[in-house]
Amino acid sequence: PGSEWKNPSTGQEGENDLLIIFDSVALVVEAKSGAINPAARRGGASIGQEINELLIEPARQGQEFAALLRDNPTRHSFKTKAGTTNLVDSTKIKQFICLSITLERFGPLAAQIPQLQTAGLAKREISAVPAMSLGDLEIALEFFENPFQLVHYLTRRTAFELKHKFIGDELDLLVLYLQTGFTG
């Protein structure tokens, strides 16, 4: 957790919330603890700002950190705010999966990033990544016996979200995945 890094293309500094590497897969997790403000909950003009801050910004940050590791396959040494050093060998990583976690439950909005971008409520320059609440992630983890099942779910979920229009939240997607594997 907490790897501090610098984006080589922009010079901007960032901090990765959590990097999990198992086998040749890296799960890049960004977490946001903010909540949707009351005005936005009532349909106020700031809903787009809340969506960008809690869903799109973590996606951007995760994608940029994953790109740093993917584009520079080497042994990295990242300082942390805690004063420790995280050592990351990215030479054997073949797949990068980004995941945004929020404490706020967005319900169906979190699973509709491409549609939110089309509607102008979210920045378009960022590719959608799976976003879910911590509670939904805990429920999903109850169904998977090993980390590779979670990887398969997140990979298939990302493709499904980009390809299909649907109405549902994370738990609806999880049920659909458990029934169909997102095939068809």
Side-chain angles (χ1 to χ4, degrees), residues 120-134:
L121 292 171
K123 295 176 185 173
R124 293 186 74 86
E125 65 269 10
I126 304 300
S127 299
V129 302
M132 63 183 75
S133 72
L134 182 59

Side-chain angles (χ1 to χ4, degrees):
S3 294
E4 294 179 328
W5 58 281
K6 189 172 188 174
N7 186 327
S9 60
T10 66
Q12 186 176 12
E13 294 184 4
E15 181 181 4
N16 168 251
D17 291 322
L18 182 63
L19 175 66
I20 302 169
I21 300 173
F22 42 95
D23 197 41
S24 62
V25 178
L27 181 61
V28 179
V29 180
E30 293 299 331
K32 291 293 180 191
S33 61
I36 302 172
N37 72 48
R41 284 187 185 280
R42 293 188 302 273
S46 65
I47 189 65
Q49 179 181 344
E50 300 291 326
I51 289 168
N52 281 306
E53 183 178 314
L54 298 172
L55 296 177
I56 303 301
E57 185 57 26
R60 180 198 58 78
Q61 194 172 358
Q63 289 172 344
E64 288 179 358
F65 185 63
L68 172 78
L69 297 174
R70 181 184 56 247
D71 297 343
N72 301 289
T74 189
R75 293 190 171 145
H76 299 271
S77 177
F78 298 107
K79 299 288 184 198
T80 70
K81 286 184 181 175
T84 60
T85 301
N86 291 335
L87 302 175
V88 177
D89 183 356
S90 65
T91 60
K92 295 177 178 60
I93 300 174
K94 303 227 183 300
Q95 182 179 7
F96 291 88
I97 299 172
C98 297
L99 175 64
S100 296
I101 302 294
T102 64
L103 291 180
E104 178 75 48
R105 190 164 195 289
F106 275 84
L109 286 180
Q112 300 291 325
I113 301 299
Q115 286 76 16
L116 291 171
Q117 289 171 323
T118 300
L121 292 171
K123 295 176 185 173
R124 293 186 74 86
E125 65 269 10
I126 304 300
S127 299
V129 302
M132 63 183 75
S133 72
L134 182 59
D136 288 345
L137 176 61
E138 288 175 343
I139 291 169
L141 290 173
E142 291 290 322
F143 290 98
F144 301 124
E145 295 177 12
N146 63 60
F148 295 104
Q149 290 174 320
L150 174 64
V151 166
H152 188 260
Y153 171 68
L154 292 174
T155 302
R156 300 288 295 166
R157 183 199 179 286
T158 302
F160 183 84
E161 182 179 348
L162 292 172
K163 187 176 179 182
H164 298 283
K165 290 186 179 183
F166 59 92
I167 297 174
D169 64 10
E170 192 64 41
L171 298 181
D172 295 320
L173 290 170
L174 180 61
V175 168
L176 181 62
Y177 173 78
L178 292 172
Q179 290 177 341
T180 68
F182 291 136
T183 58

